[in-house]
Amino acid sequence: MQQTKTKVLIIGAGTGGYVAAIRCGQLGLETTLVDASDGLGGTCLNVGCIPSKAIIHAASKFETVSKAAAGGTLGITASKPAIDLAQTTAWKDGIVRKLNAGVAALLKKSKVKVIKGWAHFTDAKTCTVKTADGEVTISAEHVILATGSEPVELPFLKFGGDVISSTEALSLDKVPGKLVVVGGGYIGLELGIAFRKLGAEVAIVEMADRLLPLYDKALTDPVAKWLEKHGVELHLGAKAGSFENGQLNITTKDGTALKLKADKVLVTVGRKPRTQGWGLENMGVAMAGPFVKIDDRCATSMKNVWAVGDLTGEPMLAHKGSTQGEVVAEIIAGHDRRFDPVTIAAVCFTEPEIVSAGLGPLDVEGRDDVITAVFPLAAIGRALAIEAGEDGGFVRVLASKTDHRLLGVQAVGQHVAEMSNSFAQMLEMGAVLEDVAGVIHVHPTLGEAFHEASLRALGHAIHI
């Protein structure tokens, strides 16, 4: 058995792990990155963020052509389109391979040693990795845990065959005739909407009384209206049961038993941290429920053992993990860093898209020291010109009455995801309403709605 030592050992090459590795390399730290998957980049790059957005993009293109074939849109007509999902999936896979290669090149440039294999820890600083060429034991001065997360499996709906997770949904070679989505969170809705655009009949089963229950109703109403308009069958307050003979058993809110026909059942009831199978129990780190407990330096209870990304808790977002990875690398290199963001913006790539940064109405309910102002996208020229102002979309700002400090910004509408960084930046900088109002926003853009919402909060919106 081969034995080796390294300054920094990173387990997991997702957005947290590979970013930590690159930054460690840039800082001159001897770094070894261990990952068992076929492609670098973790869930986000391989079976999550990137491939799902590729499929969503393809679905939107198909929907546009379908509209043109069904009587025309914007004066454009076309013949009835067809979809070869196998070719679409192959195109998506090409994007993933390109990004895999890009990550590999960046790691090589930063002189990071990459070992493909499954790691298992025997103590906090030592692990054995099973590779294609045998086993290697690695000991390290610092360990960064970045093992990510995996889909939650229901005991009565085990993954396999026609019961699939988001991973399998992104690799289908044909559009299912009937798709039932169990779980009305952002993953289920993103994929359910995409497959509806591609022509599948879609039903969504959600235990809560409404979709996306973590967001306020004003944000989710435009999504619910899209689903209704496009014939998506909703079963809210319902419980899923077993899948037998091409039918999913569900119990509705009023207790009625129903059977939903399905060619595929997509289970998207959440994700859980990947804590099993790699010896976490031998490392002596404290836990916070199902997650590894960390402080504001991403340090665990074991000295020089760090954790980043989904393993550390909500929000399970790629950009959170990447930032944590940078922070830890710089701390190991001797820099004074903390992971203490004002906000971590989140985006649902539904139809329409939803963005939320900072506090929302549910967080300030009952408070009388908060200004809330909403500006509709329908009053923005750019939105109308790209058909983004017809679905009830808006930008909303929340600010303190006393000093006008921004507390939160939300938006719903087509293409609003591209405003998320502006929202987060203003909150991170501690901006006040006057700061946003004082920035000359480019015309014609959707971002003008952020400007107008801030002006409205100050009492003098121009275009409403």
Side-chain angles (χ1 to χ4, degrees), residues 2-61:
Q2 183 183 352
Q3 295 186 343
T4 185
K5 294 183 178 180
T6 186
K7 174 78 173 180
V8 182
L9 171 62
I10 302 172
I11 306 299
T15 47
Y18 88 72
V19 169
I22 289 171
R23 188 66 183 121
C24 282
Q26 291 173 341
L27 293 165
L29 303 171
E30 181 191 18
T31 304
T32 301
L33 175 64
V34 177
D35 188 85
S37 63
D38 291 330
L40 298 170
T43 295
C44 174
L45 195 157
N46 291 283
V47 293
C49 312
I50 302 302
S52 67
K53 302 314 165 285
I55 295 297
I56 288 169
H57 174 69
S60 294
K61 291 285 189 182

Side-chain angles (χ1 to χ4, degrees), residues 7 123-126 140-144 283-286 293 295 297-307 332:
K7 174 78 173 180
D123 61 45
K125 306 291 176 56
T126 309
E141 183 179 337
H142 293 268
V143 172
I144 303 176
M283 300 186 72
V285 300
K293 185 177 182 180
D295 61 15
R297 299 166 69 244
C298 300
T300 71
S301 58
M302 180 64 68
K303 183 179 179 181
N304 291 348
V305 175
W306 318 81
I332 293 173

Side-chain angles (χ1 to χ4, degrees), residues 85 169 172 174-176 179 191-200 202:
L85 193 59
L172 294 176
K174 64 179 181 179
V175 178
L179 174 69
L191 293 176
I193 288 171
F195 279 105
R196 181 69 191 105
K197 289 180 178 181
L198 291 171
V202 176

Side-chain angles (χ1 to χ4, degrees), residues 230-377:
H230 291 82
V232 175
E233 186 180 333
L234 295 180
H235 297 276
L236 303 178
K239 295 181 180 179
S242 60
F243 179 61
E244 300 168 334
N245 302 319
Q247 294 182 315
L248 178 70
N249 294 296
I250 72 166
T251 304
T252 65
K253 186 178 181 179
D254 63 7
T256 303
L258 291 181
K259 293 181 182 291
L260 303 180
K261 290 183 179 180
D263 296 305
K264 299 289 180 184
V265 176
L266 171 59
V267 180
T268 58
V269 294
R271 297 183 65 84
K272 62 181 181 180
R274 188 174 284 116
T275 57
Q276 302 297 313
W278 49 272
L280 176 62
E281 64 278 5
N282 299 325
M283 300 186 72
V285 300
M287 303 295 289
F291 302 104
V292 172
K293 185 177 182 180
I294 58 170
D295 61 15
D296 63 355
R297 299 166 69 244
C298 300
T300 71
S301 58
M302 180 64 68
K303 183 179 179 181
N304 291 348
V305 175
W306 318 81
V308 303
D310 291 359
L311 188 63
T312 66
E314 298 288 354
M316 290 188 183
L317 298 172
H319 41 290
K320 181 197 80 170
S322 295
T323 303
Q324 288 178 318
E326 288 186 66
V327 167
V328 171
E330 293 179 7
I331 290 173
I332 293 173
H335 299 191
D336 184 12
R337 289 294 309 275
R338 292 289 187 278
F339 181 72
D340 186 25
V342 172
T343 185
I344 303 174
V347 176
C348 294
F349 290 87
T350 45
E351 186 65 61
E353 296 171 348
I354 297 174
V355 176
S356 182
L359 301 181
L362 299 177
D363 301 308
V364 299
E365 201 168 15
R367 289 174 55 176
D368 59 5
D369 61 338
V370 176
I371 305 169
T372 301
V374 174
F375 193 86
L377 291 178

